[in-house]
Amino acid sequence: MAELVLIPIAEHKVGDRQVFNTGMSTVGRGGGNDYMCGHCGQVMMRDYDTERLEIEIVYQCGACGGHNLKPEVDAVPGELN
Ligand SMILES: [Zn+2]
């Protein structure tokens, strides 16, 4: 199990993508990784299998409301701004 930081994006970068609010923390079925908000560091998803994360979906942090993408997605540096 690893701790991974999601890629933070600005709200106006969300576009037409589906937004999934994880609440304070969403727990998977075990054996996966922990995913932290790229904005505030809150653990958004625990024990989540990376394969269950959808590239097309934007993950919204329940703590700070920030939007994040799956870590494997190539993000353009500076996209936050
Ligand atoms: Zn956050």
Side-chain angles (χ1 to χ4, degrees), residues 37 39-42 61 63-66:
C37 174
H39 296 271
C40 71
Q42 166 82 21
C61 176
C64 73

Side-chain angles (χ1 to χ4, degrees), residues 6-79:
L6 295 172
I7 299 169
I9 63 168
E11 187 171 3
H12 68 270
K13 297 283 188 181
V14 173
D16 294 330
R17 284 176 283 202
Q18 184 179 344
V19 176
F20 172 59
N21 190 316
T22 63
M24 289 307 293
S25 186
T26 297
V27 181
R29 295 181 179 177
N33 301 311
D34 289 349
Y35 295 89
M36 299 186 297
C37 174
H39 296 271
C40 71
Q42 166 82 21
V43 176
M44 297 170 63
M45 292 172 279
R46 291 187 187 279
D47 289 341
Y48 249 68
D49 194 327
T50 304
E51 293 182 359
R52 295 188 61 200
L53 300 188
E54 309 270 349
I55 287 177
E56 298 81 11
I57 291 181
V58 175
Y59 294 89
Q60 184 174 26
C61 176
C64 73
H67 296 81
N68 299 268
L69 295 177
K70 179 179 178 178
E72 282 77 4
V73 176
D74 290 329
V76 178
E79 188 180 19

